[in-house]
Amino acid sequence: MSLNSHAFAGNPIRSRTPKQSDPFSPQSAFQTLKTLLLNRSLEPISPDFKVLPFRKGKPLAGTTADSSADGPNWHLGWLSLRECKDFLENSEVSLSEDSLIYLGCKNEEDVVYWAIDVSAASDLVSELGARQFCFVELRTLMVATDWADAKAMGELAVAGHARALIEWQNIARFCGFCGVKTIPMEAGRRKQCSNESCKKRIYPRVDPVVIMLVIDKESDRVLLSRQSRFVPRMWSCLAGFIEPGESLEEAVRRETWEETGIEVGEVVYHSSQPWPVGPSSMPCQLMVGFFAYAKSLEIDVDKEELEDAKWHTREDVTKALTFAEYKKAQKTTANKVDQMCKGVGKGQNLSADFNVESGELTPMFIPGPFAIAHHLISSWANQVDDNGDEAQIKQVGSSISNL
């Protein structure tokens, strides 16, 4: 499967940060914003401002019918500054310079993008629903995204970046050093303690995680695991958080040993993926993917961490990749988002959509193309090594360095 970037990567409005003198820069855009709010003149200007509302971590979304596709496509529910003010006029949320977070810009479209948390505005759901907008879980939008559609993948990346900043703002309300309330700075891109004797700077949080596909010595089998929270028959890569004072390679070896008792030797980098769909206490994880080559084979599962771990042959993995209908799951979820936005149906548990298969049920399946685990596993499964050694598979990291 060919992708220009992983899901949540390749953000089209964060390709570069303009210089301070540029009207699209966070500093210049923030000064323009303050002037507009002070003068109460929210009419279109240059650059234009667009705002993406979030409610309880869910971005505002809508859908459009696409004649070239089999079903509807979702899109982010951007509002103009004027529309945002009108919707919030009589709500519990005020449109102010401190409530808006700078996301990025598109110079060619003369637009600066912002996000705002409207969780406290209780009546907003019905008002926006009248325009066939709704707040949708980011995980649901992730599954509903056509990964072959660059524009849709870009929208998903923007939503992920915005959610990470908003959730971080919510957990960084107080200084971790002195306990005094923090205030937003630099158009919401950082915070600062309001205590004059402290003034500690606080930056958005990123939690690095190693995720690894453990491969046996002959490169014939891979070690996959199950957690109790997984849907039935789903298997995936091992993963774990990096500890202080630890290199990425050391984290791979330690986590593999702790969870499965397998000793790892060589560790080869594959690619990385931002993951802003974890718990709100961890606004954005950075998944750093590796191939890890096992020095031992006997498994000793840590039952507190994993439900099970097993070696799987290339044939088993290839079969799982062949029979799982990821495209069907994507279309099914896209239709559910369309129904939600039209008020036909409410949000549903979409766990079953990760496991849509045709014909006879296969013994296992792996996460869909929106997850880095899928690409680690499929890269190995589709690698052909005529010489019977590991040399060719170890070149995969360089071949997907654009991810």
Side-chain angles (χ1 to χ4, degrees), residues 36-192:
L36 289 173
L37 294 174
L38 182 64
N39 298 333
R40 298 186 178 182
S41 173
L42 303 181
E43 298 307 318
I45 57 167
S46 180
D48 192 13
F49 289 173
K50 290 186 178 180
V51 183
L52 180 63
F54 274 74
R55 186 174 188 272
K56 298 180 179 179
K58 304 175 185 178
L60 186 68
T63 56
T64 54
D66 187 347
S67 58
S68 63
D70 297 331
N73 294 325
W74 70 267
H75 60 83
L76 293 175
W78 294 104
L79 303 177
S80 69
L81 206 57
R82 168 63 67 182
E83 289 174 322
C84 193
K85 179 182 181 299
D86 291 343
F87 277 118
L88 296 175
E89 192 74 54
N90 299 312
S91 75
E92 299 87 343
V93 178
S94 62
L95 184 64
S96 67
E97 60 193 66
D98 288 343
S99 64
L100 290 161
I101 302 172
Y102 177 90
L103 297 179
C105 63
K106 282 188 179 180
N107 300 47
E108 66 277 10
E109 296 181 9
D110 197 34
V111 178
V112 174
Y113 296 92
W114 305 81
I116 187 171
D117 188 354
V118 297
S119 300
S122 55
D123 296 331
L124 205 56
V125 174
S126 58
E127 292 181 27
L128 291 167
R131 292 181 53 179
Q132 296 196 349
F133 282 128
C134 65
F135 293 98
V136 185
E137 289 282 359
L138 190 56
R139 275 184 177 270
T140 302
L141 294 179
M142 174 184 74
V143 183
T145 300
D146 182 354
W147 53 87
D149 185 337
K151 184 178 179 180
M153 291 289 282
E155 291 262 281
L156 185 66
V158 171
H161 173 224
R163 182 184 187 272
L165 287 176
I166 285 177
E167 293 298 291
W168 165 74
Q169 289 264 5
N170 289 333
I171 65 171
R173 293 180 178 180
F174 299 93
C175 176
F177 185 74
C178 71
V180 174
K181 189 175 181 179
T182 60
I183 54 176
M185 304 290 288
E186 296 180 12
R189 300 194 307 159
R190 74 171 175 89
K191 295 192 120 182
Q192 184 168 304

Side-chain angles (χ1 to χ4, degrees), residues 203-247:
Y203 290 91
R205 172 176 169 172
V206 177
D207 293 278
V209 177
V210 289
I211 179 168
M212 47 279 186
L213 182 67
V214 180
I215 305 170
D216 72 357
K217 295 178 181 179
E218 290 74 28
S219 195
D220 290 330
R221 297 182 298 170
V222 290
L223 182 66
L224 300 179
S225 65
R226 274 191 51 78
Q227 295 184 20
S228 58
R229 62 181 176 84
F230 285 5
V231 295
R233 296 181 296 111
M234 188 175 88
W235 294 77
S236 189
C237 301
L238 297 173
F241 289 98
I242 299 169
E243 294 185 352
E246 186 175 51
S247 72

